[in-house]
Amino acid sequence: MADKEFTYSDVSEHSTKKDLYIVVHDKVYNASSFVDEHPGGEEVLLDVGGQDSTEAFEDVGHSDEAREILEGLLVGTLKRQDGDPKPKSYAQANASVANADGASTSIGLYAVVFVGAALAFGAYKYLQAQQGEQ
């Protein structure tokens, strides 16, 4: 059954809690049996039901266990047609760029926290010196 091909039109007809298909990396999954068990809540799945949810799936950073569960829900592949939305690229190169951006953001955050802490310490010492003079 996993070798069945679905079009976007086919997938879009499965967008209810009892009949829910999602697309991740051009593979079609029947998530109907998993809606109530999804740790993020059923709303998350219902929001992406019947459409390509690759971006939402990858943005969350699902665990290996979640990916194994997903494989168990596989029902086929997406057959792209002219006029279908183009998939976003999730190649390894993009992943390393995203990690580099995330790392620089983290370093910037630490720098701001460090400077704030240094200023607070300086203000504390200054006020203590002022009180000592009185």
Side-chain angles (χ1 to χ4, degrees), residues 66-122:
R67 293 174 188 278
E68 288 174 21
I69 291 170
L70 189 65
E71 285 306 311
L73 304 174
L74 182 66
V75 292
T77 58
L78 182 68
K79 180 181 180 185
R80 292 196 176 272
Q81 298 177 324
D82 289 341
D84 285 348
K86 299 283 185 231
K88 292 197 176 191
S89 176
Y90 281 94
Q92 189 62 34
N94 286 350
S96 63
V97 169
N99 289 342
D101 290 344
S104 64
T105 302
S106 297
I107 292 171
L109 179 62
Y110 283 120
V112 169
V113 170
F114 178 76
V115 169
L119 287 172
F121 180 74

Side-chain angles (χ1 to χ4, degrees), residues 10-22 29-36 42 45-51:
D10 296 333
V11 172
S12 69
E13 294 172 7
H14 302 271
S15 60
T16 65
K17 182 176 177 178
K18 294 186 185 301
D19 182 23
L20 189 69
Y21 282 16
I22 60 171
Y29 301 93
N30 182 347
S32 308
S33 63
F34 190 66
V35 173
D36 291 326
E42 67 182 45
L45 286 177
L46 292 172
D47 284 346
V48 296
Q51 57 188 308

